[in-house]
């Protein structure tokens, strides 16, 4: 089953047959409720929550030390460190991760529907919005939400390029992959290797 799914994603574009819509009035109301809970969860109590000792504290302290010592940190840590040094407000230093998660959700819908269809992407976003890990990790000042946003947009732009081979999707792929490399080079290089292997195996032209 997984082999067939991968071959479907990486093969050249085919004619898409429209499916009956599931977007009833009740389902649209359900989506509004999901969006409301998502926004409340992402923005509520961010200034009052204690520092997440296992990751957020290390990120903040590491960013400060690297900035003061003159060593360039990764892009996310540098940005968070500057915000913390300037304002020392937990809500402000956590805000970029929240906004990037929302931007990635919008990007997943806008670009993902070009490949998988509108309703499939809406269902995907509902599942992501209900994730305890993803949504709550974005509420803390770590690079996880940054990495998720840049990597998922890079993958989507690559998949769209396979279906619509125009230069702009190559440019978007390079931009988002470059940003991901600035945030976390090791995991991003690993992602590049995995994508290269999948393209070599499943794409008809092996590229």
């Amino acid at each position: 089953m997984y082999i067939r799914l991968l071959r479907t994603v990486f093969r050249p574009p085919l004619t898409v047959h429209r499916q009956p819509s599931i977007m009833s009035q009740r389902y649209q109301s359900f989506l509004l409720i999901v969006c409301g809970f998502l926004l409340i969860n992402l923005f509520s109590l961010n200034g009052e929550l204690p520092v997440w000792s296992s990751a957020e504290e290390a990120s903040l302290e590491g960013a400060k030390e690297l900035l003061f010592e003159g060593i360039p940190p990764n892009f996310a840590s540098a940005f968070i460190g500057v915000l913390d040094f300037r304002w020392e407000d937990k809500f402000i230093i956590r805000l970029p991760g929240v906004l990037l998660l929302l931007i990635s959700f919008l990007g997943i819908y806008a670009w993902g529907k070009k490949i998988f269809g509108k309703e499939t992407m809406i269902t995907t976003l509902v599942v992501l919005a209900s994730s305890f890990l993803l949504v709550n990790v974005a509420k803390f000042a770590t690079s996880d939400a940054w990495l998720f946003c840049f990597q998922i947009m890079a993958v989507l732009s690559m998949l769209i390029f396979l279906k619509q081979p125009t230069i702009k999707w190559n440019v978007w792929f390079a931009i988002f992959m470059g940003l991901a490399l600035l945030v976390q080079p090791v995991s991003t290089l690993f992602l590049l290797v995995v994508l290269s292997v999948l393209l070599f195996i499943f794409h008809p032209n092996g590229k």
Side-chain angles (χ1 to χ4, degrees), residues 43 46 83 90-100 138-139:
F43 287 99
N46 286 359
L83 291 179
K90 285 186 287 188
F91 182 87
I92 291 178
I93 64 175
R94 289 166 172 169
L95 186 60
V98 171
L99 295 178
L100 279 173
K139 291 171 66 70

Side-chain angles (χ1 to χ4, degrees), residues 103-172:
I103 290 172
S104 67
F105 277 18
L106 292 174
I108 289 171
Y109 172 75
W111 288 6
K113 69 180 182 180
K114 296 176 181 292
I115 311 168
F116 304 104
K118 177 180 177 180
E119 292 169 0
T120 300
M121 297 319 300
I122 289 176
T123 304
T124 301
L125 289 175
V126 170
V127 173
L128 290 175
S130 64
S131 168
F132 175 80
L133 180 62
L134 178 62
V135 174
N136 286 285
V137 162
K139 291 171 66 70
F140 294 96
T142 66
S143 60
D144 298 310
W146 298 62
L147 193 62
F148 173 80
C149 177
F150 298 149
Q151 288 188 348
I152 198 70
M153 296 308 294
V155 171
L156 283 173
S157 59
M158 185 203 73
L159 294 178
I160 295 175
F161 175 78
L162 295 177
K163 302 292 184 180
Q164 303 173 16
T166 57
I167 188 64
K168 74 172 183 178
W169 298 115
N170 262 339
V171 172
W172 279 118

Side-chain angles (χ1 to χ4, degrees), residues 30-78:
F30 166 72
L31 292 178
L32 289 175
I33 294 172
V34 171
C35 290
F37 277 113
L38 174 64
L39 294 175
I40 291 172
N41 189 9
L42 284 174
F43 287 99
S44 63
L45 302 176
N46 286 359
E48 283 72 40
L49 290 173
V51 174
W52 184 17
S53 59
S54 61
E56 189 175 30
E57 185 176 359
S59 177
L60 292 173
E61 292 302 320
K64 287 180 180 179
E65 291 176 5
L66 290 169
L67 286 172
F68 284 124
E69 292 175 5
I71 304 172
N74 71 63
F75 179 68
S77 294

